[in-house]
Amino acid sequence: MEAQLQQLKEEALQKIEASQNVKELNDVRVAYLGKKGPITDLLKGMGKLPAEERPKMGALVNVVREEVTEVLEARMALLQEQAIQAQLEKESIDVTLPGRPVKTGNHHPLTRVVEEIEDLFISMGYEIAEGPEVEKDYYNFEALNLPKGHPARDMQDSFYISEDILLRTHTSPVQARTMEAKEGKPIKIICPGKVYRRDNDDATHSHQFTQIEGLVIGENIRMSDLKGTLSVFAKKMFGEDREIRLRPSFFPFTEPSVEMDISCFKCGGSGCNVCKKTGWIEILGAGMVHPNVLEMAGYDSKKLSGFAFGMGPERIAMLKYGVEDIRHFYTNDVRFLSQFHRTEV
Amino acid sequence: MLVSTKWLAEYVNTQGLDPKDLGEKITRSGIEVDAVIDRSQGMTNVVVGHVKECVKHPEADKLNICQVDVGEETTQIICGAPNVAEGQKVIVARPGAVLPGGIKIKKAKLRGEESNGMICSLQELGIEGRLVPKAYAEGIYVLPETATPGESALPLLGLDDIILELGLTPNRSDALSMLGVAYEVGAILSEDMKYPEAMYTESNEKASDYLNLRVDAIEENPMYVAKVVKNVHIKESPLWLQHRLMAAGVRPHNNVVDITNYVLMEYGQPLHAFDYDRLETKELVIRLANEGEKIVTLDDQERTLKSNHLVITNGKEPVAIAGVMGGANSEVHDGTTTVVIESAYFAGGSVRQTSKDQNLRSDASARFEKGVDPKRVILAAERAASLLAELAGGEVLAGSVVVDELDKTPVEVVVSPDFINNRLGMKISLEDMTSILTRLKFDHQAANGYLYINAPTRRQDIKIPEDIVEEIARMYGYDEIPMTLPVEESKPGGLTSYQAKRRQVRAYLEGAGLYQAITYSLTSKEMSQKFALETAPVTELLMPMSEERSTLRQSLIPHLLDAVTYNTARQADTVALYEVGSVFLGETESGLPHEQEHLAAVIAGKWVDHSWQGEKKAVDFFVLKGIIEGLMELLGHSKELTFERAVVDGLHPGRTASIKLGGEEIGLIGQLHPSEQKVRDLKDTYVMELNLAKVLNKEVEALYYAPVSKFPSITRDIALVVDSEKAAGELQAIIQLSGGRLLKAVHLFDLYEGEKMEPGKKSVAFSLTYFDPERTLTDEEVVNAHNKVLKALAEQAGAELRG
């Protein structure tokens, strides 16, 4: 019986060694250690042995069983580890293959510029005012100190709907409307919007374009306040190192009127193609609100004063992003639009 | 305005400043210098030559062989100009000379004959053809006999000069004259003025014996001065006068016409010269034209006048259109001996109207339109008389013939120094202010804490205290203004809720893959109402520039489709665009159209393209519908949102829906009609438009948190067999209504129409989620609720459970 046991052990160890995977090994386990296996049979058959041999034989069977079990467990651990390795190898991927694209669109570059300006002025306490694109002659011209017969309001330059109604030529009528609605109270607004002029479309002209204007009215608003405000704007939009300069100009709705240049953001003022070798770039027009404009809207120009400024987002976008033709903004070529996707700075 | 710096220096000391620096100073203090132009354009080796001999080239008919004395030698030059002749003093570019445009002059042989240089026309020296006197327009320029061979020709021609080109704003018409610019430069540099002289000996005869004057339209013509000059000799003007006119952009004609133009440039006062004898009547009557009256002007055009046009007549017929252009019938010609010089003040509005109606703008009309200086009307007439005496040998008759009812009182402006400093945010001293006013030559006085200023009549833009603020500021220097921010009650800025929501709508659509487009509001009348959600009478332009841009749009879709066509034609795989913009509907009470803000979107091409993993999908109706559903969820309206089959002209009749919120139509969605797609050469393209204003203005429930429950939900799936035409939305509505309070969600997860189904039937499968936030549901409760749903589906939609 002992010899039989020894043979079983040898057989089992051989089969364990020969097992190539978890399943085969499990079969071995069942075959030799299972309830119906030969070792269990041997234990069951111990009853036939003389009583004095039973303990010795029992111990022997247990030793064999433990030995076989130990070897099997070790083999099992090895095979499992190999199985995992094999699976990982099988599952490995080419990480350089392209990812599943997340397709998003983006703002039109003009909206990008307008929102940047809006947000800057909102942070300084301004509100955003909007108004109709089809306007009364009164708000577009008369309320802005451009009486009938003024040379700047030629029919040839504007899209008239009737004698008294036209497509607004600037966003200034929103200022006039806001002043009328505020009935003499202080104002701090930014007015963005579409405007229209009777121009042939070419690289630098567009019959439809965008404007953004600002208006502040209050007690003792000074020209120095205008200059300070414009300087904050220039630094925020074009970089902390920007300097501004004001040059005298003329607009019927402001007095004094100025144009603002900024030091060139490309060359810093030494002269390049962007600033046409002058070191300065013209950005916007501004001035102190003309007393006639205040009075027409019911403001006492002796007590209140104000400043206004206006600029073209097209021009700013063209300067900032190097766009050479204004028509790009209205062609909606996806190859153009999609370039304004990423963040700046 | 073109300002010769050499000419300018006659009236004001420019302190020897480099013209570039002078230009910068002028720009910074008020008048923009657009360009600084060097008339010499770097020319060298251009000298006076004397043609000693001129013979035809034996080999070439059109060429002449000239022997030219150029000072240091006499040399042979071949010249092709038709007007070259022996004895002439000419302009010679010697070998080595460089002419404008980089033309280099070298010794050459022309048809076997040596040529050592070139005899030049004015055009070859860089003068625009339109400015060259007619006599020399087709050939070389001939210098006066007094020119010395070998001397540089540039100073003789005024080409050793630098021009400042001024970009004048409409308020600064005072600078439309050399004197006006001199005043400005004098103020900037603190220099005094030197005025031109008007000195001549008067004849014994009186002008008033030669000419009668009457003004019948005093409002349009409050002042008229006429001087009569006898015995003038019409000839070429002296060279200095010709080149000054050319430098100012005026073509020289003859001495009389040139003198009127010269004084115009000098004083800014337009003058006109009539041939006295051709007037015939010894009379000038200024009146409004008769409607339909005709005149042939100096440019040989017959012009028909209107009754609001002012004319100068000889008492019978018009001889000039006042302030705009003279008549051919009274024009000065080579045989003229007696001239009448007109210097007048014509009202700006009248001249503007006439010049516009006649489509005729001149140097004269431009100045009258803006208002000439009343004080220079007589000064200019005297200056012209003096020059006629000097340069045309004329005899100036004593006195002038004058009508003068023009108010020449200067405008008084009273302003306090405090006002000026408060407006500027500065502390400029009274002394500095008065010193600036003195430099500007503004008559002023300081008293009782105020400045009393008489604005000079040449500066018609100075009327109110703010104008003085500007004058002080620009002369003091805008760089000196400090930088401050408005001091006021601090108030938060921000967007209105509408504006904030509109920004979120943009961000959402862009996150969903759409690019923002901006298209034109103006379109053709034909396209203006296409795809419109709502149509109303269209808004059309009075004077459109083209039919394509004549009418305001009532839908954003047509221009977005144009963008799809444009991009598709340029190989774009996917086009996904949206636009937020106004449409223009009918007319409101105020007379303006009703402007409504809309949102539109178009998608075409591939939607998902991740082919290597087998994901590839073209756009379809449900891509765009999903975007709208997501948008309404963002805006808190998903519960009210429904889609209903609809028919819209231009869209696919089976693939179009109207979009409703709470039963109210707010938009449309659909596929572009296949025949429209074919016309535009497009594949399947889907469009949608929403009345954004209505959506954003719609009230929305307050956002309130619902506790997150710890109890589980129970899901039951059902597959229903229904008639093929039965809309899924209808089934979903039945389920939602019949499911009771425990039914929390319904989700359509399968749709099958095909071989395994009975003809005319389809299978639709829903997943229903039951849930009670307070406790775990029992099977019985769920079965009860579920049975009600099944019953309702069977009764209301004839739906059977699929076996």
Side-chain angles (χ1 to χ4, degrees), chain A residues 100 105 107-108 111 118-119 130 133-134 149 160 188 196 208 222-225 227 255 332 334, chain B residues 352 422-423 470 478 481 484 488 499 502-503 506 510 515-516 518 521 542-543 567 595 615:
Chain A
R100 193 176 190 279
H107 277 13
H108 190 283
T111 305
E118 284 179 353
D119 289 343
E130 294 169 281
E133 291 169 30
V134 181
Y160 274 88
K188 218 172 163 186
Y196 305 84
Q208 173 181 321
R222 304 155 298 178
M223 197 143 171
S224 57
D225 298 330
K227 197 172 169 186
E255 185 69 39
N332 298 301
V334 175
Chain B
R352 183 180 314 122
N422 283 342
R423 275 288 181 277
E470 178 166 60
Y478 281 146
I481 298 179
T484 58
E488 63 202 332
Q499 291 163 345
R502 185 173 51 197
R503 281 196 181 189
R506 285 201 190 108
E510 287 159 17
Y515 289 98
Q516 186 195 5
I518 300 179
S521 305
L542 278 183
M543 295 192 302
N567 281 291
E595 284 183 34
E615 293 176 61

Side-chain angles (χ1 to χ4, degrees), chain B residues 416-486:
Chain B
S416 73
D418 282 350
F419 179 84
I420 295 172
N421 278 325
N422 283 342
R423 275 288 181 277
L424 295 174
M426 296 179 79
K427 291 192 172 70
I428 303 174
S429 69
L430 178 63
E431 289 70 37
D432 284 343
M433 290 187 190
T434 54
S435 140
I436 286 170
L437 293 171
T438 305
R439 276 157 55 194
L440 286 164
K441 299 180 180 61
F442 282 13
D443 181 15
H444 64 277
Q445 236 187 326
N448 323 319
Y450 284 92
L451 285 162
Y452 295 83
I453 297 149
N454 283 323
T457 50
R458 68 191 152 80
R459 288 294 305 274
Q460 297 189 22
D461 57 321
I462 306 294
K463 293 180 193 116
I464 56 173
E466 283 78 1
D467 295 323
I468 302 298
V469 172
E470 178 166 60
E471 292 299 303
I472 300 284
R474 71 186 184 91
M475 285 296 155
Y476 197 82
Y478 281 146
D479 287 347
E480 304 303 317
I481 298 179
M483 295 198 209
T484 58
L485 289 173

Side-chain angles (χ1 to χ4, degrees), chain B residues 13 21 183 192 216 234 479 527 549 565 598 645 786:
Chain B
N13 180 359
D21 297 337
Y183 271 107
D192 272 335
D216 289 345
I234 304 289
D479 287 347
M527 292 306 281
R549 308 256 177 273
T565 307
H598 279 201
R645 275 280 289 272
H786 202 59

